[in-house]
Amino acid sequence: FFLGGSDAVEFPIKFTPNKPGCYHCQIVLKSSYDIRVYEIECVVNADQADAQLEFLIPAYQTVTQEIPISNLSNEDWRFEAILEGQGFHGPPVINVPVGGTVPYPLTFKPIAEN
């Protein structure tokens, strides 16, 4: 393919994963004038990716909830956690090996209001 000016060529791709995971693809387009390599990464989440946690504790008590992170993909995962909300704490990074489950310890430590 050689695309000059405002020419465009559509290149439809159909991707049908059978399970959650991280999928990589490399597309190489060649012509006598040009070579282009496109790297594509698709991350597929489970059907029920959304979750809700409810903390019931006595006032001013600290509670930790371990959230299991299961890796059903073919690659090790490295998660960076960004926690929002006052009083929540947890490790900034966790690693989950292929086929493994690692608990993410989310802690809520309330602060007394004045």
Side-chain angles (χ1 to χ4, degrees):
F1 294 94
F2 178 72
L3 301 176
S6 63
D7 294 341
V9 175
E10 288 190 27
F11 189 78
I13 297 174
K14 183 176 182 178
F15 174 65
T16 311
N18 57 6
K19 63 181 183 176
C22 187
Y23 297 85
H24 299 274
C25 174
Q26 187 179 71
I27 299 172
V28 180
L29 302 176
K30 295 181 184 180
S31 75
S32 55
Y33 303 103
D34 196 9
I35 296 177
R36 296 179 187 215
V37 179
Y38 295 91
E39 299 277 340
I40 298 175
E41 178 180 284
C42 296
V43 177
V44 179
N45 296 321
D47 291 338
Q48 298 176 334
D50 294 335
Q52 183 175 358
L53 296 176
E54 186 173 323
F55 292 91
L56 298 174
I57 57 172
Y60 309 116
Q61 297 291 317
T62 299
V63 65
T64 298
Q65 173 73 47
E66 291 192 347
I67 303 167
I69 308 293
S70 297
N71 182 352
L72 304 177
S73 75
N74 296 327
E75 293 186 19
D76 291 343
W77 287 349
R78 181 182 185 273
F79 280 97
E80 293 183 18
I82 300 171
L83 300 177
E84 296 179 359
Q86 194 171 12
F88 288 93
H89 306 278
V93 174
I94 63 166
N95 296 299
V96 185
V98 170
T101 299
V102 173
Y104 181 83
L106 178 62
T107 300
F108 177 67
K109 183 177 183 180
I111 31 181
E113 292 188 16
N114 294 328

